[in-house]
Amino acid sequence: MSEAILPGAIIGILGSGQLGRMTASAARRLGYRVHTLSPGADTPTGHLADREVTAEYDDLNAVADFARGVDVLTFEFENVPAATTECAERYAPVRPAGQVLHVCQNRSREKGFLNGHGFPVTPFRDVDSREALDGAIAALGLPAVLKTAGFGYDGKGQAVIRDAAEVDAAWESIGSDPAVLETLVDFQCEVSVVAARGTDGSFAHWGVVINDHRDHILDVSVPEAPLPAPVRERAVDVARGILEALDVVGVLCVEFFLRADGELMVNELAPRPHNSGHFSFDASVTSQFEQQVRAVCGLPLGSTELLRPAAMVNLLGDLWAAGEPDWSAALGDPQVKLHLYGKSEAKPGRKMGHMVAFGRDHDDARQRALAARAALTR
């Protein structure tokens, strides 16, 4: 176990969105200082940081200067180039390591890693040409989903192919880039396990979270999902195995499909705090953001106990279409907590904030969260 990086030190964050913002908030509560680097200025993370550096990720001179000025680096955005983390690692520890980022930022590498280590993934084939796509379809059959190998999130870079007439349009829609073709899974729900691993190999998790999506974007998350115990145990076991196989230090989310037959299949990995773990900021003894700080700084991991039944709803830019949402109406329920990310412009589909609601049980919390969001635009 490496020596702990103690409060008062400087944590560098590559990326500057809402995940960095909430990590910075947790870091400052623990007494750390925060620097952030991204191509943007006046960013959500920058609002809370001691120093905001505006530079492209491939500006390695700027990255080297940034890394020299911090005690440890982490990231809140997995589409940081591998060369960026390789450069940063010369000057300060990067946690999770750049190799974790390298695997998880490319679907082909990620699925190859998972499959090679025996973790359950949907049948897939790598596709690097139109001809290869035909071969993959012949091997897997239809329906299937075509996904760009790199730089996809919230459903971007994906196309469902249900019959042969849709193949050309799907290939063109992803820009004819290297891709992965996957069998379309018949699933009953999507779940996730957000977990953390310390420098000493210690492991902690927030249970199994049920997630509802709308237009491929996370909409509602409910922790401590009411699922059969064997399913919950299997999900946590797989998540732990993945963090250990990748030698993760920090937080990582494993997203699963729960098939209609009760089997779990890993969909994607996110090597950072995750949208489906946002409830933990208010509802857990230790949030995923505080845990990220604890882990990357070599401190003991905190308890992930859920304090009360809770649910989270995302707030997308669509809510601003008719003007400023009615925050007073949403907060009329005293069991609701509001988090806004400080983004300067609301756009359709853009994550602008979230709300967490508490309730008597999970269903009550979910209904309160949905009702609070509905009240924003009445």
Side-chain angles (χ1 to χ4, degrees):
M1 179 176 173
S2 59
E3 187 175 341
I5 297 167
L6 299 176
I10 302 173
I11 299 172
I13 300 177
L14 296 172
S16 60
Q18 64 266 20
L19 300 177
R21 180 187 182 95
M22 288 181 275
T23 302
S25 175
R28 301 198 80 153
R29 283 176 54 190
L30 286 169
Y32 291 92
R33 290 176 289 165
V34 177
H35 294 181
T36 181
L37 180 145
S38 77
D42 190 31
T43 62
T45 307
H47 295 164
L48 274 67
D50 298 275
R51 181 181 180 223
E52 180 179 37
V53 176
T54 301
E56 298 294 332
Y57 296 120
D58 59 5
D59 182 348
L60 298 187
N61 288 329
V63 170
D65 180 68
F66 180 77
R68 281 191 289 262
V70 304
D71 296 290
V72 64
L73 286 105
T74 190
F75 42 82
E76 58 101 61
F77 172 72
E78 58 261 47
N79 289 334
V80 175
T84 303
T85 55
E86 289 170 5
C87 174
E89 284 171 335
R90 298 178 199 143
Y91 305 99
V94 176
R95 295 172 180 161
Q99 177 59 26
V100 177
L101 189 76
H102 180 70
V103 170
C104 296
Q105 69 184 188
N106 180 280
R107 287 191 176 100
S108 177
R109 290 194 292 269
E110 181 176 279
K111 291 192 175 296
F113 175 88
L114 292 168
N115 189 55
H117 284 76
F119 297 112
V121 293
T122 55
F124 72 97
R125 291 291 187 278
D126 292 329
V127 173
D128 60 6
S129 68
R130 179 64 178 78
E131 292 72 26
L133 176 56
D134 288 335
I137 290 172
L140 298 178
L142 295 177
V145 57
L146 185 66
K147 301 179 179 180
T148 55
F151 304 103
Y153 64 96
D154 289 344
K156 296 176 175 62
Q158 300 187 21
V160 174
I161 306 173
R162 300 190 181 277
D163 57 54
E166 297 177 344
V167 175
D168 285 334
W171 180 243
E172 292 172 7
S173 74
I174 67 164
S176 305
D177 290 325
V180 172
L181 186 75
E182 303 174 14
T183 300
L184 193 62
V185 178
D186 178 20
F187 61 88
Q188 55 175 295
C189 63
E190 295 180 74
V191 302
S192 60
V193 174
V194 180
R197 186 167 176 269
T199 55
D200 60 353
S202 56
F203 176 78
H205 65 89
W206 286 264
V208 182
V209 182
I210 283 187
N211 302 308
D212 296 334
H213 291 75
R214 181 185 297 174
D215 297 328
H216 302 287
I217 301 173
L218 183 62
D219 188 48
V220 183
S221 289
V222 181
E224 293 196 345
L227 296 169
V231 172
R232 298 197 306 270
E233 291 166 5
R234 172 67 170 154
V236 172
D237 285 346
V238 170
R240 181 170 194 154
I242 289 171
L243 268 74
E244 290 177 350
L246 282 168
D247 195 20
V248 170
V249 173
V251 170
L252 182 141
C253 175
V254 184
E255 300 178 61
F256 295 92
F257 294 125
L258 178 58
R259 291 192 325 204
D261 62 4
E263 291 297 315
L264 286 162
M265 310 298 289
V266 178
N267 178 27
E268 291 183 348
L269 307 180
R272 45 153 174 88
H274 188 261
N275 199 170
S276 66
H278 285 359
F279 70 87
S280 66
F281 202 104
D282 300 298
S284 302
V285 173
T286 307
S287 74
Q288 63 170 341
F289 306 102
E290 179 181 334
Q291 204 80 294
Q292 177 79 344
V293 175
R294 285 172 172 252
V296 303
C297 291
L299 297 176
L301 300 183
S303 166
T304 57
E305 178 186 356
L306 189 71
L307 298 171
R308 288 185 59 194
M312 183 219 73
V313 292
N314 266 335
L315 305 178
L316 303 184
D318 312 64
L319 292 168
W320 278 255
E324 189 72 14
D326 188 346
W327 305 116
S328 294
L331 294 175
D333 183 341
Q335 301 298 317
V336 171
K337 305 277 283 186
L338 172 66
H339 295 260
L340 292 174
Y341 303 150
K343 295 183 178 180
S344 59
E345 183 180 1
K347 300 177 183 178
R350 191 182 195 193
K351 294 174 183 175
M352 301 296 293
H354 70 267
M355 290 190 292
V356 173
F358 299 99
R360 296 182 304 275
D361 53 33
H362 301 113
D363 289 338
D364 182 43
R366 189 178 192 279
Q367 291 307 313
R368 284 177 178 272
L370 290 170
R373 185 171 63 185
L376 291 173
T377 54
R378 282 181 188 150

